[in-house]
Amino acid sequence: MSMKRTNVYADPEDLAIIKEAAKRRGISEAEIIRQGIHLAAMANRVWDEPLFSRTFPGPGRTLTKDEVRNVVADAAQRETGSGTAA
């Protein structure tokens, strides 16, 4: 992976924290800064597709709290193979 050099201004307190963390973790300060840049880039990325593009069949209305609770309980019982004793 090729990298490009850039200059940024940083708060001296932040740089001191990065220096301390790099020493403690045994990695370079530059690596910590690169990780931070990657996190910032991913947090601000605009995706081409929506996160939830699939739709699921339903009753065409919002379920009540009790209906949701019953559906989840039924699914959990099917998953574990347990049922209620009558």
Side-chain angles (χ1 to χ4, degrees), residues 26-41:
I27 62 175
S28 70
E29 294 170 44
E31 182 58 28
I32 292 176
I33 292 168
R34 281 192 290 271
Q35 290 171 1
I37 290 171
H38 179 69
L39 290 172

Side-chain angles (χ1 to χ4, degrees), residues 12-50:
E13 291 177 11
D14 291 338
L15 293 175
I17 292 169
I18 289 170
K19 181 181 281 294
E20 182 181 308
K23 184 176 180 182
R24 185 178 60 250
R25 294 176 59 196
I27 62 175
S28 70
E29 294 170 44
E31 182 58 28
I32 292 176
I33 292 168
R34 281 192 290 271
Q35 290 171 1
I37 290 171
H38 179 69
L39 290 172
M42 295 308 291
N44 289 283
R45 182 174 179 181
V46 177
W47 299 91
D48 294 335
E49 298 177 11

